[in-house]
């Protein structure tokens, strides 16, 4: 029998492995895209309903005119309707493509030489787009084709333009974080929103200066737009 003192370590319980901490759960890219799209749809529906019910305050009429770059009610309503249809079509596209959007990215493939293509048609100016939209609303098939063929970031930008969302508006704050994340994930340009907001504010101000009073007569716009100041300087983050 050994007289050596017992080694306490021999009787100690084996050390327990520290379980790894659970990683915080972040919504998938498809989920974030759907959140942005559905927030836009909700905002557009509320804005459309408020205009149709003549429930805008004087301040909201001013904000709406500057958000769309015009006080022409026909243009505003046409844009809202097209924007909601684009958002609805994009929502369906993202739902169908969610497994691919959230799945592993495939390795890049070598690019094969492509035959020369004719140069793309120049993008319509906002005034030209407004005129074309008033002349004819796109069909459901054309809306679906626009959403199917174009990058998601471009469609989101068009939806924001049609619904009149942009920096400086209350609803923009809740959209900005998720929209910026979606744009970054798809290599989109967020500065277009700030540039458009500035250009539209300037365009609306020019209408005010010219004394234009479109068909918002039930809002008595002329009573409160005479003191509208010049457009603010754009701020790009």
């Amino acid at each position: 029998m050994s007289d050596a003192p017992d080694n306490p370590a021999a009787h100690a319980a084996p050390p327990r492995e520290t379980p790894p901490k659970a990683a915080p759960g972040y919504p998938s890219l498809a989920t974030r895209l759907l959140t942005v799209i559905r927030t836009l749809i909700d905002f557009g529906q509320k804005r459309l309903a408020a205009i149709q019910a003549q429930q805008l305050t004087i301040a909201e009429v001013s904000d709406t005119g500057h958000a769309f770059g015009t006080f022409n009610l026909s243009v505003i309503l046409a844009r809202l309707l097209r924007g909601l249809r684009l958002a609805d079509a994009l929502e369906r596209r993202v739902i169908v493509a969610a497994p691919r959007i959230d799945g592993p990215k495939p390795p890049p493939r070598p690019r094969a030489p492509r035959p020369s293509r004719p140069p793309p048609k120049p993008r319509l100016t906002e005034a030209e787009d407004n005129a074309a939209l008033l002349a004819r609303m796109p069909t459901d098939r054309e809306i679906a084709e626009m959403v199917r063929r174009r990058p998601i970031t471009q469609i989101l930008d068009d939806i924001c333009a049609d619904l009149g969302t942009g920096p400086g508006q209350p609803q923009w704050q809740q959209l900005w974080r998720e929209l910026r994340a979606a744009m970054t994930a798809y290599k989109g340009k967020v500065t277009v929103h700030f540039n458009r907001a500035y250009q539209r504010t300037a365009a609306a101000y020019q209408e005010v200066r010219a004394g234009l009073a479109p068909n918002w007569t039930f809002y008595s716009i002329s009573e409160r737009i005479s003191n509208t100041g010049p457009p603010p300087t754009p701020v790009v983050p």
Side-chain angles (χ1 to χ4, degrees):
M1 186 174 187
S2 173
D3 295 330
D6 289 342
N7 182 2
H11 303 284
R16 296 181 178 178
E17 293 184 3
T18 304
K21 295 182 179 179
Y26 293 102
S28 67
L29 178 55
T31 300
R32 296 203 304 269
L33 282 171
L34 289 173
T35 298
V36 170
I37 295 167
R38 288 164 181 169
T39 303
L40 285 167
I41 290 174
D42 180 67
F43 166 74
Q45 289 174 337
K46 289 178 179 177
R47 170 171 266 174
L48 178 62
I51 292 175
Q52 290 176 328
Q54 304 179 17
Q55 293 177 344
L56 297 187
T57 64
I58 289 178
E60 288 171 336
V61 170
S62 177
D63 291 342
T64 301
H66 285 81
F68 287 90
T70 181
F71 289 94
N72 188 322
L73 189 57
S74 297
V75 170
I76 293 171
L77 290 174
R79 277 195 169 274
L80 282 169
L81 291 172
R82 183 179 63 179
L84 287 171
R85 293 171 65 200
L86 283 171
D88 182 66
L90 181 59
E91 180 186 28
R92 293 196 299 269
R93 170 182 166 179
V94 172
I95 290 173
V96 172
R100 178 176 54 80
I101 292 173
D102 294 333
K105 304 301 179 187
R109 294 181 298 180
R111 293 185 177 180
R114 296 181 178 179
S116 59
R117 296 180 178 179
K121 295 181 180 179
R123 194 174 177 87
L124 295 178
T125 66
E126 189 137 292
E128 292 170 340
D129 189 29
N130 290 341
L133 186 57
L134 288 178
R136 189 179 72 87
M137 179 69 69
T139 64
D140 290 342
R141 188 171 184 175
E142 289 169 336
I143 289 287
E145 191 72 5
M146 291 167 62
V147 170
R148 185 178 70 85
R149 287 183 171 273
R150 302 172 63 229
I152 287 179
T153 51
Q154 290 184 13
I155 303 167
L156 280 174
D157 179 55
D158 284 350
I159 293 170
C160 288
D162 276 352
L163 300 184
T165 63
Q169 299 170 8
Q171 76 283 353
W172 177 259
Q173 299 305 320
Q174 62 177 328
L175 277 173
W176 172 239
R177 183 175 299 176
E178 290 295 339
L179 184 62
R180 182 173 57 182
M183 287 289 189
T184 301
Y186 281 93
K187 298 180 174 59
K189 297 180 180 180
V190 297
T191 54
V192 296
H193 300 278
F194 294 90
N195 294 336
R196 180 174 61 241
Y198 174 67
Q199 292 166 1
R200 285 187 168 184
T201 300
Y205 177 65
Q206 291 303 318
E207 285 193 1
V208 173
R209 293 280 292 178
L212 298 178
N215 50 359
W216 293 51
T217 53
F218 49 82
Y219 287 116
S220 300
I221 293 178
S222 60
E223 295 179 3
R224 58 103 192 108
I225 62 175
S226 58
N227 296 325
T228 304
T233 302
V235 178
V236 178

